[in-house]
Amino acid sequence: MKSILLLMGPNLNMLGEREPEIYGSETIEEHVKQAERVANEFGYKLEHFQSNNEGELVDQIQNARGKHMGIIINPGALTHYGWSIHDALAAFDGVVIEMHLSNPNQRESWRHTSVVAPVANGSIIGFGIHGYELSIRAFHKIIENDDQRT
Ligand code: DQA
């Protein structure tokens, strides 16, 4: 199960059309392709799921147990108040990378809190579409180090 789950939350289906000056002009399909390309380079399979519904994201996180080595998650606005995402990730037994295209800390103050960060191994923020490569590299480093310890 050398596989990673890439999860995206509300409004990320609108990538390319939605505030391109903040999120870039690439569509969600292009984002997923980019992530898949890098994951495959590192020898991982990548599964992708986007939803505008919090509960569906929770279901995906629960179902990832024993199936995926890790989750890269951009929870969209749920980052800032989605406690059920926090709790589902806390119960997940693999690596969790939080990823944001923009840098929420440079934006409105309500975006400065992440309820996901405390249950993530780390966060990659503000690098746009390059964030997938950085996230997968970081994920791979964590897995490699874990292997060395066992
Ligand atoms: C986002 C940042 C969030 O604050 C926002 O609600 C999003 C996208 C990002 O990728 O920069 O939907 O997660």
Side-chain angles (χ1 to χ4, degrees), residues 4-10 12-13 15 28 32 35 46-64 68 70-76 78-79 85 88-89 92 95-101 116 132:
I4 302 174
L5 177 63
L6 173 63
L7 279 183
M8 295 183 190
L12 291 163
N13 56 315
L15 282 171
I28 184 169
V32 174
L46 185 124
E47 209 174 280
H48 169 252
F49 182 82
Q50 186 277 332
S51 178
N52 294 328
N53 300 307
E54 186 169 353
E56 285 186 1
L57 294 165
V58 170
D59 287 343
Q60 288 289 322
I61 297 166
Q62 289 183 4
N63 293 338
H68 298 285
I71 298 175
I72 296 173
I73 183 164
N74 181 350
L78 290 169
T79 305
I85 305 276
L89 289 172
F92 177 63
V95 175
V96 176
I97 310 278
E98 174 190 18
M99 194 209 124
H100 300 285
L101 300 165
V116 170
Y132 301 106

Side-chain angles (χ1 to χ4, degrees), residues 10 12 18 23 74 76-77 79-80 100-102 104 107 110-111:
L12 291 163
R18 171 193 184 203
Y23 300 114
N74 181 350
T79 305
H80 314 299
H100 300 285
L101 300 165
S102 68
R107 301 177 65 192
W110 61 268
R111 294 186 203 269

Side-chain angles (χ1 to χ4, degrees), residues 77 79-81 98 100 103-118 125:
T79 305
H80 314 299
Y81 64 91
E98 174 190 18
H100 300 285
N103 178 352
N105 297 319
Q106 285 180 334
R107 301 177 65 192
E108 303 94 320
S109 56
W110 61 268
R111 294 186 203 269
H112 297 182
T113 299
S114 167
V115 300
V116 170
I125 64 170

